[in-house]
């Protein structure tokens, strides 16, 4: 039902955020204002927005949204809506983003994102 869907979105959002933060990424929206279904992530300085999104699409068949308007080139939008809000999708996204960021020369601690996401799910169980 609706309550279970809301709880699933919240759990997966928290795990995604934990993983992103473990990679050294920051959320673009303060915690009280975040939507679990649409996650806005700050693009680190020196990282080419289009190159990362292109690699994700080309190598992983994963599309994340670009920032719009004043946030173009400054944020990514990662959706966890409806059926897409699944643990396996969060894991896939974190793995793919880690690989794409490494390819761009961003210092990512390999596996830290998945460890953080797993810890978040474990805490929610």
């Amino acid at each position: 039902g609706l309550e279970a869907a809301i709880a699933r979105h919240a759990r997966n959002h928290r795990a995604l955020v934990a993983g992103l933060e473990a990679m050294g990424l920051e959320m673009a929206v303060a915690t009280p204002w975040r939507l679990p279904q649409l996650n806005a992530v700050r693009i680190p300085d020196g990282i080419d927005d289009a190159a990362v999104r292109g690699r994700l699409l080309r190598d992983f068949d994963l599309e994340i949204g670009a920032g719009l308007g004043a946030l173009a080139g400054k944020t990514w939008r990662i959706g966890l809506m409806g059926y897409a809000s699944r643990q396996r999708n969060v894991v896939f996204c974190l793995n793919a983003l880690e690989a794409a960021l490494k390819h761009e020369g961003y210092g990512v601690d390999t596996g830290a994102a998945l460890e953080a996401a797993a810890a978040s799910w474990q805490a929610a169980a």
Side-chain angles (χ1 to χ4, degrees), residues 105-116:
Y106 184 72
V108 178
D109 184 9
T110 302
L114 292 184
E115 288 177 20

Side-chain angles (χ1 to χ4, degrees), residues 1 9 12 21 30 33 56 63 66 70 75 80 84-85 103 107 114 119:
H9 281 85
N12 291 327
E21 289 177 346
W33 307 111
L56 290 172
E63 187 171 10
T75 62
L80 287 178
S85 184
H103 189 270
L114 292 184

Side-chain angles (χ1 to χ4, degrees), residues 35-59:
L35 297 175
Q37 300 86 353
L38 185 58
N39 299 273
V41 183
R42 292 185 194 279
I43 299 170
D45 290 337
I47 296 298
D48 184 331
D49 166 38
V52 169
R53 288 185 301 105
R55 180 162 300 281
L56 290 172
L57 189 56
R58 187 175 52 255
D59 294 353

